[in-house]
C-alpha cells in the first residue's frame, strides 16, 4: 500500500481503530520496521487535536513530531524489542479502554471534525436510508447536533446538553454572523431564515419519525425518501456550518 492509499485508509477508521493503527505503527518502528513519516504526522495531528481524550494521550506523542524523534526517544529508553512493544501497549491502554467503553451514536465518535469526517458520516447515514429510514433520520439529526456543539465548544460558548436543537443553532448562527437579523439584504435574510427552518425541522422530524423514541401503534413509518431528505439536508448544513466556522477561524 503506497502512502496515498494508506492516507485514504486512515480517514475511514474510527477513533478506536485509528489509535490501534498508530500503536501498531509505533511498535513496528520501534522494533526494526518503518513508520511512514507522512502517515505518522497525519495520525499524530488527529490525536493531538482531539481534545475529548487529550488527557489519555502519552506526553511523548506531543513532543515526538516525526518517526525519527520517536525512534530517538524509544531506543534510549529500552534496549529490547519486547520492552518497547510492552511499553507502547501500556501507554495506549487507557486511551483504548476509554474509547472502547464509550457508548455513542455512530456519527458521534470522538474524532476531530474535518470535511472528510463529515462526508464519511454523511455517507454512512445515507447507507441506512434503504434498510433503516428511521435510523437514518436519527443519525441525520445527530450529525447536526454534533457540528453545532463542536463549534460552540471551539468558541467557548456555554450551552446545556439538553438544549433544543433550534436553540443550539441560534447560538451558532449568531457567532458565525449567520442570523437573519445580522443582515440587511432581503435575499440573505430569506436564505438564512430558511436554514434556521431546516435545523428546526430536522429536530422535529427526528421526534416524529426517527427511532430515538418509543412509538405508538398509530405512528407513521418513514419511507426511504424521507430518510434521504433528512440526511441530505443535515449533510449540506453540517458542511456549510463547518466551512463557515473554519473560514472565520483562519482570518
Amino acid at each position: 500500500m503506497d502512502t496515498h492509499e494508506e492516507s485514504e485508509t486512515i480517514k475511514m477508521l474510527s477513533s478506536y481503530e485509528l489509535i490501534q493503527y498508530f500503536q501498531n505503527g509505533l511498535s513496528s518502528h520501534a522494533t526494526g520496521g518503518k513508520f511512514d513519516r507522512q502517515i505518522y504526522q497525519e495520525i499524530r495531528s488527529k490525536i493531538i487535536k482531539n481534545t475529548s481524550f487529550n488527557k489519555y494521550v502519552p506526553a511523548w506523542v506531543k513532543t515526538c513530531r516525526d518517526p525519527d524523534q520517536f525512534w530517538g526517544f524509544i531506543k534510549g529508553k529500552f534496549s529490547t524489542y519486547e520492552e518497547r512493544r510492552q511499553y507502547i501497549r501500556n501507554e495506549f491502554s487507557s486511551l483504548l479502554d476509554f474509547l472502547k467503553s464509550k457508548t455513542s451514536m455512530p456519527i458521534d465518535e470522538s474524532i476531530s471534525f474535518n470535511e472528510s469526517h463529515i462526508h464519511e458520516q454523511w455517507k454512512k447515514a445515507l447507507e441506512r436510508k434503504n434498510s433503516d429510514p428511521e435510523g437514518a433520520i436519527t443519525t441525520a439529526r445527530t450529525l447536526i447536533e454534533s457540528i453545532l456543539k463542536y463549534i460552540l465548544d471551539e468558541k467557548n460558548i456555554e450551552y446545556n446538553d439538553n438544549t433544543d436543537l433550534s436553540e443550539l443553532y441560534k447560538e451558532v448562527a449568531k457567532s458565525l454572523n449567520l442570523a437573519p437579523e445580522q443582515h440587511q439584504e432581503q435575499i440573505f435574510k430569506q436564505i438564512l431564515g430558511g436554514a434556521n427552518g431546516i435545523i428546526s425541522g430536522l429536530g422535529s422530524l427526528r421526534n416524529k419519525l426517527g427511532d430515538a423514541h418509543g412509538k405508538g401503534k398509530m405512528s407513521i413509518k418513514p419511507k426511504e425518501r424521507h430518510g434521504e431528505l433528512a440526511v441530505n439536508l443535515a449533510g449540506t448544513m453540517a458542511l456549510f456550518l463547518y466551512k463557515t466556522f473554519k473560514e472565520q477561524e483562519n482570518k
Side-chain angles (χ1 to χ4, degrees):
M1 184 184 301
D2 63 26
T3 301
H4 176 71
E5 291 176 336
E6 193 171 1
S7 181
E8 290 301 310
T9 297
I10 65 175
K11 291 177 182 178
M12 308 289 285
L13 301 179
S14 67
S15 296
Y16 185 84
E17 293 168 335
L18 189 70
I19 298 304
Q20 283 189 314
Y21 197 97
F22 191 58
Q23 176 182 294
N24 292 338
L26 291 172
S27 293
S28 174
H29 200 78
T31 55
K34 183 175 178 57
F35 199 163
D36 182 87
R37 181 186 181 89
Q38 178 182 325
I39 299 302
Y40 176 100
Q41 292 177 329
E42 282 186 20
I43 300 178
R44 175 181 173 275
S45 177
K46 287 177 178 288
I47 292 173
I48 291 175
K49 289 180 180 178
N50 193 328
T51 58
S52 65
F53 55 68
N54 186 56
K55 66 179 179 179
Y56 299 101
V57 177
W60 50 266
V61 173
K62 301 174 184 178
T63 57
C64 296
R65 298 178 177 274
D66 57 44
D68 292 337
Q69 290 184 358
F70 166 69
W71 171 243
F73 164 78
I74 198 71
K75 77 172 181 177
K77 197 171 185 66
F78 301 103
S79 58
T80 69
Y81 284 0
E82 182 53 35
E83 285 178 312
R84 294 170 187 173
R85 280 192 289 262
Q86 187 60 50
Y87 174 76
I88 293 168
R89 283 195 295 269
N90 290 341
E91 287 289 273
F92 285 101
S93 62
S94 295
L95 177 54
L96 288 170
D97 287 345
F98 167 71
L99 292 173
K100 191 173 183 179
S101 67
K102 279 180 64 65
T103 54
S104 61
M105 293 297 293
I107 64 169
D108 198 26
E109 296 176 327
S110 295
I111 188 169
S112 298
F113 270 91
N114 54 43
E115 289 182 46
S116 295
H117 171 62
I118 295 173
H119 274 295
E120 179 59 25
Q121 304 315 319
W122 192 354
K123 178 183 175 183
K124 287 180 181 179
L126 281 170
E127 289 171 351
R128 299 184 68 180
K129 66 182 176 60
N130 296 317
S131 60
D132 184 16
E134 292 176 332
I137 290 171
T138 298
T139 302
R141 195 267 189 194
T142 304
L143 175 57
I144 286 294
E145 182 178 9
S146 296
I147 191 65
L148 292 176
K149 288 183 175 179
Y150 167 79
I151 293 172
L152 291 173
D153 286 340
E154 289 295 301
K155 286 181 167 287
N156 295 315
I157 298 174
E158 294 186 2
Y159 60 88
N160 189 304
D161 279 335
N162 296 319
T163 300
D164 183 77
L165 196 68
S166 61
E167 292 303 313
L168 289 175
Y169 177 74
K170 287 179 182 178
E171 288 297 322
V172 169
K174 190 188 306 179
S175 73
L176 297 179
N177 196 35
L178 295 177
E181 63 271 17
Q182 293 174 312
H183 296 265
Q184 299 299 321
E185 292 286 341
Q186 183 58 36
I187 185 61
F188 291 127
K189 286 180 173 291
Q190 183 178 350
I191 291 173
L192 295 174
N196 186 35
I198 288 172
I199 300 297
S200 178
L202 284 171
S204 299
L205 188 65
R206 193 285 302 264
N207 292 335
K208 184 73 174 178
L209 301 180
D211 62 0
H213 302 289
K215 301 294 179 60
K217 65 179 182 180
M218 300 299 290
S219 61
I220 301 171
K221 186 173 180 61
K223 296 181 179 179
E224 177 185 332
R225 58 190 174 89
H226 298 130
E228 186 171 24
L229 175 64
V231 173
N232 276 326
L233 288 172
T236 300
M237 285 302 301
L239 278 174
F240 173 67
L241 292 170
Y242 176 79
K243 288 184 175 182
T244 301
F245 165 69
K246 295 303 291 185
E247 181 180 291
Q248 292 188 8
E249 186 182 50
N250 294 330
K251 283 184 178 179

